[in-house]
Amino acid sequence: MMMAFEARKFRRVVTGHDADGVAKVIRDDTASCVLQRPTRPGVTLTNFWQHSQSPAPMESHDDPVEGPLVLHPPKNGAVFRVVQFDPEDPDIIASIDGKKAFAAMGAGANVVENARHPYMHRTDSLDYSIVLQGEVWMLMDEEDVLLKQGDVVVQQGTNHAWANRGTEPCIIMFVLNDAVK
C-alpha cells in the first residue's frame, strides 16, 4: 500500500496597476483552480493563469482560471500550471480506465488506446516543463526517461505518460501552448 501525501497548495501573487498607473499587487491568494479525481489517484493539477489569445493581453484584473480545469490550453492561448504526481501503486494503475480519467478533463479522445500505461496520451499543444521537486519517469512510445529536479522537457505533441516510481511526490511546472501541426 502506498503512503498518502497531501497535495501542495501554492500562493499566487499577481501584479498589475491601479487607476493611476502605479504598479500594485492585485491578487495575493492561494491558487484555487485545483483538480483531483478518483480516476487519477495521487495526481493534483493546479492552474495559476491562462489566456486565450496571442499575443496575450498584458494585464487582466479578472481571474482567468475560474471555472472547470481542462487539460488543454485555450485555443490560441496558453495555460500555466503545476502537477503533483504522488508515487504510483502498480496494482491500482493496472486497474485504471485512462480514457475515463482524461474525459473528466475534456480530453478523452487524447488517450492512446492499448498503450503500455493507462494514462498514455497526446496533447495538441507545445508544452514547456521543469521538474521542481522529486523525480518522475516520462514514458514515450518505446522508451522511459527519468527526470529529476531541475530537468526541463519541451513536449512537442508526442505520446507520453508520467509515472512516479519513487517514494516521494514529484512536482512539475508546465506551460501548455496551443499549437498547430
Side-chain angles (χ1 to χ4, degrees), residues 2-8 36 42 44 84-87 166-169:
M2 298 300 293
M3 175 186 255
F5 292 91
E6 184 174 330
R8 177 159 174 197
Q36 294 176 306
T44 303
Q84 178 173 322
F85 293 96
D86 291 344
T167 59
E168 297 296 323

Side-chain angles (χ1 to χ4, degrees), residues 5-18:
F5 292 91
E6 184 174 330
R8 177 159 174 197
K9 295 181 182 353
F10 293 90
R11 177 180 179 200
R12 178 179 65 156
V13 177
V14 179
T15 64
H17 298 91
D18 67 13

Side-chain angles (χ1 to χ4, degrees), residues 6-170:
E6 184 174 330
R8 177 159 174 197
K9 295 181 182 353
F10 293 90
R11 177 180 179 200
R12 178 179 65 156
V13 177
V14 179
T15 64
H17 298 91
D18 67 13
D20 296 322
V22 176
K24 299 279 186 184
V25 170
I26 60 172
R27 185 177 304 278
D28 186 344
D29 57 12
T30 299
S32 61
C33 186
V34 176
L35 179 65
Q36 294 176 306
R37 60 208 186 286
T39 55
R40 184 59 160 119
V43 174
T44 303
L45 287 83
T46 304
N47 279 2
F48 300 121
W49 204 255
Q50 67 184 24
H51 60 85
S52 58
Q53 65 187 65
S54 186
M58 181 66 73
E59 187 167 330
S60 173
H61 286 248
D62 296 328
D63 189 347
V65 294
E66 288 181 341
L69 191 153
V70 297
L71 180 66
H72 302 294
K75 185 75 175 152
N76 298 316
V79 63
F80 172 35
R81 78 169 42 122
V82 295
V83 180
Q84 178 173 322
F85 293 96
D86 291 344
E88 285 185 353
D89 181 330
D91 294 330
I92 292 175
I93 292 298
S95 67
I96 291 292
D97 181 345
K99 190 167 197 130
K100 183 177 179 181
F102 275 85
M105 296 184 298
N110 292 85
V111 170
V112 178
E113 300 286 343
N114 303 311
R116 60 195 191 100
H117 192 281
Y119 299 119
M120 181 75 69
H121 64 288
R122 179 178 182 170
T123 55
D124 299 323
S125 56
L126 172 62
D127 306 339
Y128 310 135
S129 59
I130 184 168
V131 178
L132 300 175
Q133 173 185 313
E135 59 184 51
V136 69
W137 287 89
M138 179 177 63
L139 285 59
M140 306 294 290
D141 285 332
E142 297 178 349
E143 63 183 312
D144 296 355
V145 178
L146 177 61
L147 301 169
K148 297 182 178 187
Q149 184 173 336
D151 289 346
V152 172
V153 176
V154 177
Q155 185 74 253
Q156 299 185 95
T158 56
N159 294 345
H160 67 284
W162 304 102
N164 183 341
R165 299 173 179 159
T167 59
E168 297 296 323
C170 176

